[in-house]
Amino acid sequence: MASTITNRSSPARPSPPSISIDPVAHTTSTSSLSPGSKLKGRARSSSLLKVEEIRESVDDVLDQSMYANVNQEWVNRKGAWLIHIVLILGGKLLFDLIPGVTQNISWTMTNIAYMLLSFLMFHHVTGIPFQSDMHGGAYDDLTLWEQIDEGAQYTPAKKWLICLPIGLFLVSTHFTHYDPWLFAINITALLIVLIPKLPILHRQRIRILPDDDASGFATPTSPIHSGATTPRTRPSSMIM
């Protein structure tokens, strides 16, 4: 009877719940920071200017040879050279009609206007404005100057387009009586047009403040781990 009372008064206690802690690996692989790996984060640029080369693939050469490039054919046609003289003289007469404009200012404005239009037309606008699908986009990244004569240098058309701005600059300098301020303005406009025509800058692009990663590295982002981890416990059986 005593043993029965003892067993009823002291019931068996359940075993304590088991606790398992998963280890956290804090390993850093040096290969993840290699230059060729893809890293997320803010890209860093090593310079303010970047020179990029427009490369030509085999597919581009085949697409360019399929059809004639009508965008640059007019440069070698009859009257194409004379139209530049007509536009310069027309611009000069137009500036002379403005009241209060002297001959010095008129020649300077004529020189600047021609240089500006020439730069925009031959060295700024890229691609073909019409029938661009005929060449499969082979000329999309090329300026009109780079399309003329299939990119050949010192052809008759390109020699004419180089000599004409120089001649206009000399005429403008003569009729402005070699004024130093107007001379500085005219020669600056001339250099802006002549420098892109140099063979060393053929298919070259100068980027100011490039957005892409110039150095090939990026600032990596790593996950933040705390020193301790929250243990995960297994649910224990309910004690009645």
Side-chain angles (χ1 to χ4, degrees):
M1 186 67 179
S3 61
T4 305
I5 296 173
T6 305
N7 294 335
R8 290 181 179 178
S9 61
S10 58
R13 295 181 179 180
S15 59
S18 60
I19 300 175
S20 62
I21 300 176
D22 297 337
V24 179
H26 296 278
T27 58
T28 303
S29 176
T30 56
S31 61
S32 61
L33 299 180
S34 59
S37 61
K38 296 181 180 180
L39 301 176
K40 294 181 180 180
R42 181 178 55 86
R44 294 178 296 178
S45 178
S46 59
S47 61
L48 299 178
L49 297 177
K50 182 179 180 180
V51 180
E52 297 178 353
E53 181 181 3
I54 306 299
R55 300 184 180 274
E56 189 176 44
S57 62
V58 179
D59 294 336
D60 292 338
V61 176
L62 295 177
D63 292 336
Q64 292 174 7
S65 59
M66 291 296 295
Y67 301 97
N69 187 2
V70 296
N71 188 42
Q72 58 89 24
E73 278 187 341
W74 64 272
V75 179
N76 294 308
R77 291 180 180 177
K78 294 182 179 180
W81 294 12
L82 184 62
I83 193 63
H84 293 270
I85 304 296
V86 174
L87 291 176
I88 292 174
L89 295 178
K92 178 64 173 62
L93 294 176
L94 180 63
F95 290 129
D96 287 339
L97 296 177
I98 300 177
V101 175
T102 61
Q103 288 298 315
N104 294 353
I105 302 300
S106 177
W107 277 108
T108 302
M109 294 175 64
T110 303
N111 181 64
I112 293 176
Y114 177 79
M115 301 298 181
L116 180 61
L117 293 177
S118 178
F119 177 82
L120 293 177
M121 183 175 184
F122 291 101
H123 305 290
H124 181 70
V125 180
T126 58
I128 301 177
F130 43 84
Q131 297 180 353
S132 59
D133 55 342
M134 296 178 59
H135 301 278
Y139 294 102
D140 289 348
D141 296 329
L142 300 181
T143 61
L144 178 57
W145 179 263
E146 294 168 343
Q147 298 176 28
I148 295 176
D149 298 328
E150 302 299 331
Q153 302 294 329
Y154 300 117
T155 58
K158 288 190 174 181
K159 289 180 180 179
W160 166 253
L161 294 175
I162 291 175
C163 295
L164 185 61
I166 297 176
L168 179 59
F169 163 75
L170 295 177
V171 173
S172 301
T173 303
H174 173 74
F175 283 102
T176 54
H177 307 289
Y178 303 95
D179 183 270
W181 292 104
L182 298 180
F183 175 83
I185 295 175
N186 290 326
I187 197 173
T188 301
L190 175 65
L191 293 177
I192 292 176
V193 174
L194 285 185
I195 290 178
K197 292 181 171 63
L198 297 177
I200 195 175
L201 294 179
H202 184 67
R203 289 178 173 268
Q204 302 292 330
R205 300 291 183 270
I206 299 178
R207 310 293 185 187
I208 301 176
L209 297 176
D211 294 334
D212 55 344
D213 184 15
S215 61
F217 294 91
T219 303
T221 58
S222 58
I224 300 175
H225 298 284
S226 59
T229 57
T230 303
R232 293 182 297 177
T233 60
R234 296 179 181 175
S236 59
S237 60
M238 184 179 298
I239 303 173
M240 298 299 295

